[in-house]
Amino acid sequence: MILIVDDKPENIIALKRILEKHQFEVDPALSGEEALNKVLKNNYDLIILDVQMPGLDGFEVAESISGYSKTKDIPIIFLSAVSVNKQFISKGYASGGRDYMVKPFDPDVLVLKVKTFIQLYDQTRALQNMQQVLVEEVEFRKQAERTKDEFISMASHELKTPLTSIKGYMQMVDRSVDRDQKEDAKKYLERTRQQLEKLNILIDDLLDTSKIASGKLEFKNQVYDIDPIFDNAVDIIRQTYPSHQIIKTGQAEVKIYGDHIRIEQVILNYLTNAIKYSPNSSEILFDVSVLSCDEVMVNITDSGIGIPKDKQADLFTKFYRVEESSNRFQGLGMGLYICAEIIKRHHGRYGVDSEAGKGSSFYFTLPVYQDQSSKS
Ligand code: ADP
């Protein structure tokens, strides 16, 4: 849209007629003040500005327009009723004008100039937009780089912690053997084994996360009875954490189609989280149920630190850790992300119900395998 600023309505009408003939949209302003109001409210592609006006003259209006960041690049063509000296024309350019035309002017020349300036302005805006996009993109890369660096430093720390413990325990084993203290040596070997297991899980999680990113997480799907998979996972946790009590309720008595090692991985992850984030309680509930005959549901409930409501939506996102507890508990925020991916690949659902300070109940579901042969 073109803004025409002239204190004489007949001039505006004449210009409007010429421009509208060439499909330009036109907006009139009868004074410099009205023009300034309009440029701040609307978006114009070009301004045709009469120089001699009562109140603010054309140069003053142009100067103000070139002072606002929103309007500074709008091309301005000055129109003047009288032929003027060079000095006057220079003033027009200095105040932000692009061209200076003296009345009477050739309408074809005016239209050509208008078209050229609008095209130029469009290109300038396109360039500015592209520049902005590039600046944002560079910033986003930089940000990705920083996130990667932070992750590498956290991951190195997480890997180093069990390694340092292993080194320490191995020295204790040596010392116990030297002193012929067999029981102590066994105790330190068991601790070494636990740290090795931690290290193993960390490395597996790192590998799984990178496989998910490259779409290479593989599943070996078969039809299984689901209950032995649940029982086996609970047994593993009971043996690894004898200090905790896992109370299992319910039975599914159905088959599912999937990868039993991956399903076990989800259960072990939910259970180890339930233990890790409940430093002051030792009881974990593991409940199995079947919903409407077509979904198996597992609920793992702890009475631990819980999760604030506003943090629950992001829990299953890659590398997400609840800020309030991230310093107290070690971790990289990969476990639940991997669980989510595994459950999604089995066409199941997952989620959490939790209250800060009271505990959490993490659930997941798996579709029951519908045996086609038994239906017929
Ligand atoms: P990690 O435990 O390594 O941080 P996870 O992906 O397993 O990674 O968990 C993501 C985040 O979810 C954890 O950092 C923790 O803040 C929160 N969380 C997971 N399980 C529980 C739980 N049972 N109780 C409280 N918070 C939990």
Side-chain angles (χ1 to χ4, degrees):
M1 188 157 59
I2 298 172
L3 179 67
I4 305 176
V5 192
D6 201 310
D7 58 314
K8 294 183 192 70
E10 61 273 22
N11 287 350
I12 291 188
I13 291 167
L15 270 173
K16 207 169 170 225
R17 205 169 291 147
I18 297 171
L19 293 169
E20 282 179 346
K21 235 194 313 192
H22 289 83
Q23 279 76 49
F24 288 113
E25 245 188 283
V26 168
D27 193 23
L30 286 161
S31 68
E33 290 79 357
E34 190 187 348
L36 288 182
N37 264 330
K38 286 196 160 180
V39 287
L40 286 179
K41 274 193 218 133
N42 310 323
N43 292 321
Y44 296 105
D45 302 308
L46 182 113
I47 301 168
I48 299 179
L49 194 52
D50 183 26
V51 174
Q52 293 88 8
M53 288 187 293
L56 286 177
D57 71 21
F59 297 140
E60 288 167 324
V61 174
E63 232 171 69
S64 300
I65 289 174
S66 64
Y68 304 129
S69 63
K70 178 187 171 222
T71 57
K72 68 179 174 28
D73 294 321
I74 304 176
I76 297 172
I77 298 179
F78 286 113
L79 286 186
S80 174
V82 285
S83 181
V84 282
N85 62 28
K86 261 194 200 158
Q87 208 185 352
F88 211 53
I89 293 175
S90 323
K91 197 177 164 195
Y93 282 103
S95 58
R98 290 284 159 80
D99 204 357
Y100 199 103
M101 294 181 76
V102 177
K103 294 175 196 170
F105 52 81
D106 181 330
D108 291 338
V109 173
L110 176 77
V111 168
L112 268 178
K113 287 190 168 176
V114 164
K115 280 185 180 164
T116 311
F117 283 129
I118 289 183
Q119 222 173 14
L120 252 173
Y121 184 41
D122 280 348
Q123 282 165 354
T124 311
R125 276 186 293 193
L127 260 173
Q128 281 169 346
N129 283 344
M130 202 182 292
Q131 202 178 10
Q132 185 58 27
V133 169
L134 277 174
V135 166
E136 279 166 17
E137 214 158 275
V138 167
E139 196 40 54
F140 175 76
R141 276 185 208 132
K142 278 191 200 160
Q143 182 57 36
E145 196 68 19
R146 274 196 290 271
T147 312
K148 203 167 105 191
D149 287 349
E150 269 171 32
F151 178 74
I152 289 174
S153 115
M154 264 167 59
S156 314
H157 175 76
E158 289 291 307
L159 291 168
K160 235 180 138 180
T161 312
L163 270 180
T164 313
S165 309
I166 289 169
K167 248 166 98 179
Y169 288 136
M170 286 314 283
Q171 280 171 3
M172 305 294 268
V173 171
D174 282 348
R175 211 171 296 166
S176 309
V177 170
D178 286 347
R179 292 180 188 156
D180 212 15
Q181 292 164 331
K182 208 170 152 193
E183 282 311 306
D184 281 354
K186 269 193 188 163
K187 183 175 80 189
Y188 294 125
L189 275 175
E190 172 57 22
R191 290 191 188 165
T192 306
R193 196 196 55 75
Q194 284 170 4
Q195 294 301 319
L196 275 173
E197 185 54 25
K198 256 191 192 172
L199 205 56
N200 219 2
I201 291 172
L202 260 175
I203 292 168
D204 281 349
D205 279 358
L206 279 166
L207 287 175
D208 281 350
T209 303
S210 101
K211 279 186 201 158
I212 292 172
S214 58
K216 287 182 184 150
L217 192 67
E218 283 181 5
F219 287 79
K220 295 192 181 85
N221 292 338
Q222 284 183 24
V223 178
Y224 296 99
D225 279 326
I226 192 72
D227 288 310
I229 299 171
F230 293 156
D231 290 336
N232 192 43
V234 169
D235 274 351
I236 293 175
I237 293 294
R238 281 183 180 144
Q239 278 167 29
T240 321
Y241 301 93
S243 52
H244 284 71
Q245 215 190 334
I246 318 290
I247 301 164
K248 185 169 177 290
T249 50
Q251 284 274 96
E253 289 169 357
V254 292
K255 291 180 192 299
I256 65 116
Y257 177 71
D259 183 332
H260 72 103
I261 303 218
R262 293 291 180 195
I263 293 165
E264 182 183 282
Q265 189 179 349
V266 173
I267 302 167
L268 294 182
N269 223 307
Y270 273 27
L271 281 174
T272 41
N273 273 352
I275 291 171
K276 173 163 135 189
Y277 294 102
S278 313
N280 301 322
S281 84
S282 59
E283 224 176 62
I284 311 290
L285 309 180
F286 184 111
D287 181 63
V288 178
S289 55
V290 177
L291 310 176
S292 328
C293 296
D294 57 8
E295 254 187 330
V296 180
M297 184 178 215
V298 172
N299 263 291
I300 294 177
T301 307
D302 63 62
S303 318
I305 60 168
I307 302 150
K309 290 273 177 246
D310 60 325
K311 304 287 159 74
Q312 293 176 14
D314 294 321
L315 286 182
F316 291 84
T317 328
K318 186 154 67 169
F319 305 142
Y320 183 82
R321 307 200 70 223
V322 176
E323 212 182 325
E324 286 85 342
S325 54
S326 60
N327 286 335
R328 249 176 95 198
F329 302 91
Q330 285 187 334
L332 288 173
M334 291 185 295
L336 289 181
Y337 166 68
I338 297 169
C339 289
E341 185 68 20
I342 295 173
I343 299 161
K344 272 191 268 178
R345 295 276 295 268
H346 282 86
H347 309 290
R349 300 180 288 119
Y350 53 85
V352 64
D353 181 19
S354 178
E355 203 175 321
K358 295 217 163 144
S360 310
S361 187
F362 279 82
Y363 74 84
F364 72 87
T365 69
L366 296 170
V368 168
Y369 176 71
Q370 307 293 346
D371 188 352
Q372 299 301 318
S373 61
S374 69
K375 278 188 179 171
S376 54

